[in-house]
Amino acid sequence: MTTPQRARFAEDALSRRATKVMTRGNTRSTLFVPPAPPYAVRGEGAHIVDQLGGRVIDANNNYTSLIHGHAHPRITAAVAEVVGSGTAFGLPTEQEVELAELLSARTGQERWRFSNSGTEAVMTAVRAARSYTGRGILIRFEGSYHGTSDAVVSRTAPGITAGVRSDVVVLPQGNVEAFDEVIAEHGDRVAAVLIDLMPNRAGLVPADPAFVEHIREATRAVGALMIVDEVISLRLSLGGLAAEYGADPDLITAGKIIGGGFPIGAVGGRADVLAVFDPLADTSVGWGGTFSANPVSMTAGRVAMQLFDAEAVQRLNGAGDRLRESLLAAGVAVTGRGSLMRLREPGEPADLWWAAYERGVMIGTNGLISLSTAMTEQDLATIERSIVKAAEQGRR
Ligand SMILES: Cc1ncc(COP(=O)(O)O)c(C=O)c1O
């Protein structure tokens, strides 16, 4: 439904300019809300300001990546300093070593490599698993989003070839029988099982630990690798969810918060698996990316992660748990864990998005709410009030 408030954004000069040069006026499919999304002008801690001067609480945080909100002074100071001495080199830098050391200490994964997005990290982790095992099949689970590389988008998506389809098996998460059937039939052709322990698009419902353990045992038994996609879930626990589950994966993928607001992706894992990227090996998997591991993302990521220490992780998860409990008590359908939650209200997601935005809170177009350490108790109370009212409006 296009209300007068929403129409103001579609009729705005910037929106009109944008649609002349970009289909629907922007780059990222996930940011579009009909009739046209607001455009961000400025971010200040927990808030953003749009092109019409509206100021809202950012409960989206660039789809969970801005763990400290916008323009955290410690991150901007560190970035300003590093930018002044060069933003990208045709040489490795100490900054990437520092971030790799930090991630290694936190997650327990021995070796790391960096990319510019979670999409690239997942794509390359899958290729590493195929190279390491000499096999082709990837098993993954329904409702999990792993970026937009061929192997992880819908098998029926336009542009996906029959070859890709035949190498990917998609199963319902948590269904042991279906999983065992595929392993029994194709186990010796499986390169990897890719799992997100709290899949966003499946509603942010945590994976069953017994299922995760079963995958670990089954993959070991048939010589396949287990890849845990931690691009979103790393924020939920100091060492990530894989460590908390005791999943002991061969590879993990990371992104979002580890870039401190700048483009990033990463693959971490066992030294012998990451050795597939060894440029001195007879055959090695190439890892490119002109801007991979650039010192700006590496520095911002290191500072953001240092600020997100054990106490900050716990505090933010506590705030999320309290918010979710209050929403549930007020009759709002919501799932999730810690600082991440997903509204499961009936009706058009875009209507809920606008209903929240018009009450001063920006959520994800898919109903995602992601907290940041920049939010005050007052911000959290506003989020609660606005979401309760937005959900009520949707049910009327
Ligand atoms: C679990 C998961 N994996 C991978 C990705 C892809 O990351 P990026 O958007 O940085 O390419 C995302 C992005 O939302 C994600 O949530």
Side-chain angles (χ1 to χ4, degrees), residues 74-160:
R74 292 264 301 274
I75 300 175
T76 52
V79 165
E81 196 183 326
V82 79
V83 163
S85 43
T87 55
F89 300 94
L91 287 173
T93 66
E94 184 176 1
Q95 285 89 350
E96 70 184 278
V97 180
E98 286 174 334
L99 186 58
E101 284 169 345
L102 183 150
L103 292 173
S104 211
R106 266 170 96 136
T107 63
Q109 301 300 332
E110 291 174 307
R111 297 283 190 273
W112 287 86
R113 262 173 197 256
F114 297 100
S115 59
N116 294 301
S117 67
T119 292
E120 291 168 82
V122 171
M123 177 184 81
T124 320
V126 170
R127 189 171 305 146
R130 285 176 169 155
S131 166
Y132 183 84
T133 59
R135 303 169 176 183
I137 294 179
L138 172 72
I139 297 178
R140 59 181 179 81
F141 300 101
E142 278 164 13
S144 290
Y145 177 72
H146 300 288
T148 52
S149 63
D150 281 8
V152 296
V153 295
S154 165
R155 295 169 72 254
T156 54
I160 298 305

Side-chain angles (χ1 to χ4, degrees), residues 22-288:
M22 308 178 87
T23 308
R24 294 284 174 208
N26 91 86
T27 295
R28 293 162 68 187
S29 313
T30 43
L31 305 195
F32 180 75
V33 274
Y39 286 74
V41 173
R42 208 166 57 249
E44 297 164 353
H47 295 85
I48 47 177
V49 177
D50 65 39
Q51 87 267 37
L52 299 181
R55 185 180 162 87
V56 297
I57 297 174
D58 189 354
N60 169 312
N61 281 301
N62 194 21
Y63 285 86
T64 80
S65 59
L66 302 172
I67 197 80
H68 303 298
H70 298 274
H72 188 287
R74 292 264 301 274
I75 300 175
T76 52
V79 165
E81 196 183 326
V82 79
V83 163
S85 43
T87 55
F89 300 94
L91 287 173
T93 66
E94 184 176 1
Q95 285 89 350
E96 70 184 278
V97 180
E98 286 174 334
L99 186 58
E101 284 169 345
L102 183 150
L103 292 173
S104 211
R106 266 170 96 136
T107 63
Q109 301 300 332
E110 291 174 307
R111 297 283 190 273
W112 287 86
R113 262 173 197 256
F114 297 100
S115 59
N116 294 301
S117 67
T119 292
E120 291 168 82
V122 171
M123 177 184 81
T124 320
V126 170
R127 189 171 305 146
R130 285 176 169 155
S131 166
Y132 183 84
T133 59
R135 303 169 176 183
I137 294 179
L138 172 72
I139 297 178
R140 59 181 179 81
F141 300 101
E142 278 164 13
S144 290
Y145 177 72
H146 300 288
T148 52
S149 63
D150 281 8
V152 296
V153 295
S154 165
R155 295 169 72 254
T156 54
I160 298 305
T161 63
V164 170
R165 273 197 293 280
S166 70
D167 281 337
V168 178
V169 177
V170 185
L171 298 173
Q173 183 143 318
N175 187 329
V176 176
E177 293 74 34
F179 179 78
D180 283 350
E181 220 170 274
V182 173
I183 290 289
E185 200 173 332
H186 304 290
D188 60 350
R189 294 199 293 130
V190 175
V193 177
L194 171 64
I195 185 167
D196 182 337
L197 301 177
M198 203 174 90
N200 175 22
R201 295 203 179 168
L204 285 178
V205 178
D208 174 3
F211 185 63
V212 176
E213 200 179 327
H214 185 72
I215 291 177
R216 181 63 287 188
E217 282 167 11
T219 44
R220 281 217 175 97
V222 297
L225 300 192
M226 178 180 184
I227 307 172
V228 174
D229 186 349
E230 293 258 41
V231 168
I232 280 196
S233 58
L234 197 67
R235 64 150 57 208
L236 293 172
S237 164
L238 192 67
L241 275 194
E244 195 182 300
Y245 269 70
D248 195 22
D250 304 288
L251 292 173
I252 71 169
T253 51
K256 306 233 189 216
I257 65 165
I258 67 162
F262 287 81
I264 201 153
V267 176
R270 281 196 350 240
D272 64 317
V273 181
L274 271 282
V276 301
F277 299 110
D278 180 356
L280 289 183
D282 291 341
T283 57
S284 80
V285 179
W287 187 301

